[in-house]
Amino acid sequence: MNNTRISTQPYKGSRDFYPEDLRLRDYIFGIWREVCKSYGYEEYDGPFLESFELYAAKSGEELVNEQLYSFTDRGERKIAIRPEMTPTLARMVAAKYKALNFPIRWFSIPNLWRYEKPQRGRLREFFQLNVDVMGIDEISADFEVMCLAIDIMKRAGAKEGMFELRINNRKLMDEFYNFLGLTIEQKIEFSKVLDKKAKISPEDFNKILEEKVLLSENQIKDVNNLLSQPNTLLEQMLSQKSNGAKEVKELLKKVKDANLENFIKFDPTIVRGLAYYTGIVFEQFDLNPQNTRAMFGGGRYNDLVKIFADASVPATGFGMGDVTFMDFLTAWKLLPQNQDELDYMITRWPETNPEKATIYENLASEIAIKLRAKGKKVLVWLDNFSKLDKQLKFAERKNASMAVIFGENEIKDKTVIIKNLRTSTQEILLLEDFLKN
Ligand code: HAM
């Protein structure tokens, strides 16, 4: 018998959301929506399935070759489950770019799928807030999405020292590679190892620089020196007339003017895995040692819309996952306690006589209807045999504030007993008066 039972486990890397889990998810989504709307961003959504080619073009090797869920549909079309939202957004904008009032500020909270090895901070199905500005090629737009991200953190209770946003610039890195005299192949290998730098030892980092990037011993020493002194690297590249360095400098000026220096730092090791970024890139890190993964990442991608339309739509934005954000809130003890879920529970006097039981039942639903019409959250007890004590315990566990109790005497006197479940005190009120307030 047991052998034939189906497992109750959800699919590997996906989650069931029981009501207590969904409450927390809603709490996070609520913060995301509230902060995005306060910046004037509008919510959009797209389909869960897209054509495979949408990702093959620009999402980068790892995502496409290792993480994409793809299949052929009954009409022989190659389909993928969305692993990220940015290509869908670019497709939607390209389809209507002539009609859109640029710059557009849009956000979305899609569920995404990536075939990953489930581990702390990484699952196969997750939700990701996407915040993007399209149609403007100004650092002020990159800075705006960063400020929005920081406001999300603050709105959730985060303080200075709990997280940090690290920025870099793809152009700057390309110019830095040119400065080092690297070939295209060397640049690709260098970017790959930089992306991994935080996760590997300094020895392994140097080994890859030597064996894959083919740097000399002296070059490796110089590179390590510069990477560990971001400001020196920045100044050096500014003296080389690097455009990327100029953009970083401009951004850092805005950071300083807004007093956000403790939240946003330049870090030349941030390169990001996705292939479509063209300028500023950034990642946000939890400074709690328990959580080592980036909480969100993004950057400027000025050429993505061009794969769909002959249109120049510069864009910048970020994606923030619910899993790492939840880990952050848990580690820093910022998750809210259970909130009041119910205003009233209407009890039912235990009664075996069917006629009397019907009178109790009808009055209970009549009171409930009137309270709900006033916007109250009301639960009604459904059977006529449970002891009152059991009903009240249930109401307490459901986090109800009040219980409404009535029996034969109360019906006769046209009264109800209102029990405050927080203080365990009770009062008798005329039913009419109770419903009036
Ligand atoms: P991404 O760096 O691939 O960027 O993902 C951004 C964030 O999504 C990560 O920092 C993490 O919080 C979350 N995330 C990614 N993969 C997983 C996973 N397997 N499990 C849990 N959380 C995950 C992008 O997706 C870009 N499309 C973001 C973007 C929007 N860039 C510009 N606009």
Side-chain angles (χ1 to χ4, degrees):
M1 178 72 185
N2 270 349
N3 294 342
T4 61
R5 294 223 167 108
I6 296 171
S7 164
T8 56
Q9 291 298 307
Y11 169 63
K12 189 172 175 179
S14 72
R15 289 164 291 173
D16 293 322
F17 287 90
Y18 287 85
E20 61 272 25
D21 308 315
L22 197 65
R23 201 173 299 142
L24 291 177
R25 190 176 100 187
D26 273 351
Y27 169 73
I28 290 178
F29 286 13
I31 292 180
W32 284 350
R33 286 208 166 89
E34 190 184 307
V35 176
C36 286
K37 287 184 177 173
S38 78
Y39 275 71
Y41 284 60
E42 298 170 281
E43 189 163 4
Y44 70 98
D45 201 358
F48 182 64
L49 301 179
E50 288 276 13
S51 74
F52 176 83
E53 60 180 5
L54 200 67
Y55 308 104
K58 282 271 184 182
S59 287
E61 262 173 48
E62 192 192 13
L63 200 85
V64 177
N65 298 341
E66 293 166 31
Q67 299 178 345
L68 207 59
Y69 279 84
S70 60
F71 62 96
T72 307
D73 77 3
R74 288 168 202 265
E76 298 297 317
R77 292 171 207 90
K78 204 157 180 210
I79 302 298
I81 298 179
R82 57 186 180 189
E84 58 158 337
M85 197 62 174
T86 316
T88 299
L89 171 64
R91 179 181 62 68
M92 286 168 64
V93 168
K96 288 209 171 174
Y97 78 94
K98 286 192 178 133
L100 292 169
N101 184 19
F102 288 112
I104 53 164
R105 293 173 163 92
W106 287 3
F107 78 95
S108 186
I109 309 180
N111 60 330
L112 306 175
W113 283 86
R114 293 185 192 180
Y115 194 78
E116 296 216 46
K117 191 163 161 256
Q119 54 196 288
R120 187 169 176 84
R122 281 286 174 273
L123 294 177
R124 290 186 174 171
E125 188 192 29
F126 59 100
F127 290 84
Q128 192 196 58
L129 169 69
N130 278 256
V131 173
D132 293 271
V133 188
M134 298 183 102
I136 178 158
D137 193 9
E138 294 292 326
I139 300 294
S140 55
D142 303 271
F143 185 56
E144 177 172 288
V145 293
M146 288 180 203
C147 290
L148 191 158
I150 289 174
D151 276 352
I152 287 177
M153 303 307 296
K154 288 185 177 165
R155 173 69 187 71
K159 302 264 174 337
E160 223 177 281
M162 291 185 180
F163 68 94
E164 190 171 277
L165 228 148
R166 299 180 190 151
I167 61 154
N168 193 11
N169 189 309
R170 281 266 173 102
K171 274 188 254 172
L172 163 63
M173 292 320 278
D174 198 53
E175 286 155 342
F176 177 56
Y177 300 152
N178 287 340
F179 171 69
L180 294 174
L182 304 190
T183 63
I184 290 183
E185 290 76 29
Q186 284 177 303
K187 288 180 184 179
I188 294 171
E189 291 301 330
F190 201 129
S191 281
K192 276 195 205 157
V193 65
L194 259 191
D195 197 27
K196 280 197 286 192
K197 187 174 184 301
K199 294 175 206 133
I200 58 177
S201 68
E203 293 73 32
D204 285 345
F205 178 67
N206 289 344
K207 200 163 161 229
I208 298 175
L209 285 182
E210 186 190 339
E211 291 173 4
K212 290 240 163 102
V213 192
L214 307 176
L215 295 190
S216 68
E217 212 172 296
N218 274 345
Q219 279 179 311
I220 294 177
K221 219 194 271 162
D222 286 350
V223 161
N224 275 309
N225 267 342
L226 285 172
L227 290 178
S228 64
Q229 297 170 51
N231 286 338
T232 314
L233 188 151
L234 192 61
E235 290 308 323
Q236 182 143 1
M237 292 312 295
L238 279 171
S239 70
Q240 299 289 316
K241 307 253 173 303
S242 149
N243 279 326
K246 257 193 250 157
E247 288 182 4
V248 169
K249 185 106 183 161
E250 190 185 337
L251 181 60
L252 291 177
K253 165 92 174 44
K254 292 186 191 307
V255 169
K256 185 160 188 266
D257 290 348
N259 273 330
L260 290 173
E261 285 160 302
N262 290 339
F263 291 102
I264 303 181
K265 307 223 158 104
F266 169 55
D267 179 347
T269 65
I270 301 296
V271 287
R272 314 252 315 121
L274 296 160
Y276 46 68
Y277 293 114
T278 55
I280 296 280
V281 283
F282 59 93
E283 286 197 336
Q284 168 143 334
F285 290 86
D286 188 340
L287 296 180
N288 192 308
Q290 277 179 37
N291 301 323
T292 52
R293 292 197 170 270
M295 243 184 300
F296 60 77
R300 181 161 281 284
Y301 51 103
N302 282 351
D303 298 330
L304 195 56
V305 173
K306 287 197 189 117
I307 68 172
F308 304 99
D310 187 16
S312 164
V313 184
T316 184
F318 68 84
M320 173 174 196
D322 68 325
V323 183
T324 38
F325 191 41
M326 182 67 89
D327 287 345
F328 173 86
L329 297 177
T330 309
W332 292 102
K333 301 197 170 37
L334 294 173
L335 280 173
Q337 300 302 317
N338 263 358
Q339 289 131 334
D340 269 354
E341 279 298 306
L342 285 173
D343 297 306
Y344 292 101
M345 196 190 85
I346 321 264
T347 60
R348 283 261 299 273
W349 200 260
E351 178 57 68
T352 47
N353 174 319
E355 263 169 47
K356 280 193 189 166
T358 304
I359 293 175
Y360 293 142
E361 182 173 2
N362 288 348
L363 183 58
S365 54
E366 197 184 312
I367 296 174
I369 286 168
K370 290 194 170 141
L371 290 174
R372 285 183 193 131
K374 289 168 184 268
K376 301 290 181 202
K377 291 183 208 133
V378 185
L379 203 74
V380 178
W381 192 259
L382 292 176
D383 70 53
N384 60 3
F385 52 79
S386 298
K387 293 216 170 83
L388 199 59
D389 211 29
K390 181 176 168 187
Q391 298 182 34
L392 292 175
K393 279 210 178 90
F394 180 83
E396 269 168 35
R397 276 204 306 273
K398 293 302 290 180
N399 233 352
S401 310
M402 308 271 188
V404 179
I405 305 165
F406 53 85
E408 206 164 1
N409 289 342
E410 285 74 29
I411 292 193
K412 202 162 70 217
D413 299 345
K414 296 195 170 41
T415 57
V416 277
I417 301 169
I418 307 299
K419 178 162 182 169
N420 183 323
L421 297 170
R422 304 269 178 271
T423 57
S424 281
T425 53
Q426 59 182 51
E427 54 179 343
I428 300 175
L429 297 175
L430 277 174
L431 178 59
E432 202 186 335
D433 290 347
F434 168 62
L435 290 175
K436 241 191 254 157
N437 299 322

